[in-house]
Amino acid sequence: MHIREIAETDLPGLFDVRTATRENNLSRVQLASMGITEESVAAMLHSSHRGWLCEIDGRTVGFAMGNRENGEMWVIAVRPEYEDKGIGSSLLA
């Protein structure tokens, strides 16, 4: 398990994880209807948000992102097949 800061090039993999979640599952179309696109998230990373991802064998399996200005957690997502392995807790730490 490797945890590192999210880079803009990671966004396609983050959206793959986010749309695969068991809890609060949303499609890319649903996310886009809420204004959440790769472009909008890239803008957030450059301004107000920061995040970390977890890779296993080079595959993004989870990530967490929050507002660095007010400390609010915006999203945490882990692929269902990687749940209960401590990834979410590690990302939060």
Side-chain angles (χ1 to χ4, degrees):
M1 176 174 18
H2 176 66
I3 294 180
R4 64 172 176 79
E5 191 166 355
I6 293 171
E8 192 171 335
T9 55
D10 297 314
L11 293 176
L14 300 185
F15 274 78
D16 288 345
V17 171
R18 179 61 187 89
T19 58
T21 59
R22 192 183 337 255
E23 298 290 326
N24 193 25
N25 182 270
L26 297 169
S27 70
R28 281 183 180 255
V29 171
Q30 290 170 309
L31 290 168
S33 75
M34 298 165 59
I36 303 168
T37 63
E38 289 185 30
E39 293 78 17
S40 69
V41 174
M44 292 166 63
L45 285 172
H46 289 291
S47 62
S48 60
H49 286 63
R50 191 171 180 193
W52 289 263
L53 64 78
C54 176
E55 296 174 315
I56 295 179
D57 297 328
R59 179 182 190 203
T60 301
V61 299
F63 72 98
M65 222 175 168
N67 186 316
R68 61 182 165 199
E69 295 173 355
N70 64 19
E72 181 179 306
M73 178 59 64
W74 183 58
V75 63
I76 184 164
V78 177
R79 288 185 171 277
E81 63 270 30
Y82 290 92
E83 291 175 357
D84 299 321
K85 298 184 184 314
I87 293 168
S89 297
S90 295
L91 288 165
L92 286 173

